[in-house]
Amino acid sequence: MNRGTRSKKFREMGFSDRLEFVKLNAQLNDDEAESLRSLTSNDFENSNRMIENAIGFFKIPLGIATNFVINNKKYLIPMAIEEPSVIAAASYAAKLANNSGGFKAAMTKSVMRGQVQLTCVPNIKVAISSIENHRQNLIRIANSVSKKIAAFDIKTRIVNDKTHILRKKMIIIELFVDVKDAMGANSINSMCERIAPEIERITSGTTILKILSNYCVERLATSEAIFFKDDLGGENIVERMLYAYALAYSDPYRAVTHNKGIMNGIDAVALATGQDFRAIESAAHAFACRSGIYRSLTTFSRSDAGDLKVKIELPLAVGTIGGIASVHPMAKLCLKILGANSAKELGMVIATVGLAQNLAAVRALSSEGIQKGHMKLHAKNLATSVGANAKDIDVIAKRMYDTNQVSMKNAEKILNDLRRNKKIH
Ligand code: MEV
């Protein structure tokens, strides 16, 4: 192609050209294109600094969960989530936990591991002992990456190719790093890349992957609380909740949904505070499966007094410095609202919200069910989506809810009736 006349690539275009390109190729009409422009234009510059091919930010609702007391400290917890009932449910569970002194949370050290995959060594035993002999030097090279965080150990493992495609053994060199208040991904990835040439030199092998492991089992958050049986609705509800837990522990089909409820809370705080929620998700689900069977991330038990004890434990790679948490204007504000002073504290809060979310969901499911509360908010969403104005939304939602006919079609019908009536009067 003639360089002088080639059309611009999307990433080379400015905001207006990018929108024009999308409008043309996605066949948006003028109104749709205008909505896209007005929804995104304010924030274009910020978004364009953060990702490639940006056209703006995608907004989702931000709310504040209340009533949380964790290790005797009160928190206002920002949650970014599009699903109704989640914030109300977490705040409700936090209120109940306060009756028994709030949540007790803890977190282990901020240790993550990086992996360098080494292949094609002439002799595996010799390669491993060579790495062990050069341990201190490899750690020194890794630590030339950052003044703030430090690698402190190196271990090796042999991993067999279970695909049977290559039928080769691989040596995995694992670098253990104390990432302190950072999530750590960038530094660890750089460390792995930095030590790889030296690993190749001392083993005569070939390195392939050089990347952190998101399965951060050295970075575990726990949180627990007691929920009084009378606050939950009595002994029978506690019994029913234990049945619900027994199913989540014993059956992966239920466990996935049980854990989805937990992630409703965890992801919402993670998103609001600028965390890599995909990393959190993948580690959480692997951890849920650590026994070989996918199980509940929370454990429920009955105290001697017949109250419900709930505990959550999961790996949580979160940071209060570096990454998006220091760049995204809203994430920075949310971290300030939350007032977590370290990655460990943030991890404890996030785990606690997961627990609270789960307690509230399981309590509702074990008693009146979740649809009642959920449908009220869903009805409002439907009324909004058919184009009702702020005044009409509540009227439409109430009418649908009261008649037990919550649907898009009914929302449209009620809106048309309202508009017709207004014209008549
Ligand atoms: C819905 O987003 C989450 C729940 O399904 C969780 C659960 O079933 O425990 C209510």
Side-chain angles (χ1 to χ4, degrees), residues 125-174:
K125 271 193 179 157
V126 174
I128 288 180
S129 86
S130 183
I131 291 162
E132 270 155 19
N133 291 337
H134 288 80
R135 207 171 143 265
Q136 285 312 327
N137 192 37
L138 289 169
I139 291 176
R140 188 189 57 73
I141 296 171
N143 284 341
S144 65
V145 164
S146 163
K147 287 201 177 76
K148 294 196 183 116
I149 71 174
F152 60 90
D153 199 5
I154 281 188
K155 289 182 181 153
T156 50
R157 285 191 293 127
I158 297 175
V159 173
N160 290 316
D161 163 28
K162 293 190 180 136
T163 66
H164 304 298
I165 298 171
L166 300 157
R167 295 175 188 278
K168 297 268 168 56
K169 285 187 194 304
M170 301 163 260
I171 303 175
I172 309 304
I173 297 109
E174 294 190 322

Side-chain angles (χ1 to χ4, degrees), residues 145-214:
V145 164
S146 163
K147 287 201 177 76
K148 294 196 183 116
I149 71 174
F152 60 90
D153 199 5
I154 281 188
K155 289 182 181 153
T156 50
R157 285 191 293 127
I158 297 175
V159 173
N160 290 316
D161 163 28
K162 293 190 180 136
T163 66
H164 304 298
I165 298 171
L166 300 157
R167 295 175 188 278
K168 297 268 168 56
K169 285 187 194 304
M170 301 163 260
I171 303 175
I172 309 304
I173 297 109
E174 294 190 322
L175 188 67
F176 291 83
V177 183
D178 182 354
V179 296
K180 303 202 171 76
D181 287 323
M183 186 274 189
N186 263 333
S187 304
I188 295 179
N189 295 344
S190 300
M191 286 177 168
C192 291
E193 289 190 8
R194 188 76 60 91
I195 62 172
E198 180 64 3
I199 290 173
E200 290 190 347
R201 192 187 69 77
I202 61 178
T203 62
S204 305
T206 304
T207 59
I208 301 184
L209 302 187
K210 302 136 192 129
I211 185 86
L212 92 158
S213 165
N214 286 118

Side-chain angles (χ1 to χ4, degrees), residues 83 86 254 257-262 264 358 361-362 365 370:
E83 187 174 327
V86 170
R254 172 58 201 155
T257 317
H258 180 99
N259 289 345
K260 190 274 182 185
I262 293 172
N264 276 346
N358 180 233
V362 172
L365 289 166
I370 58 163

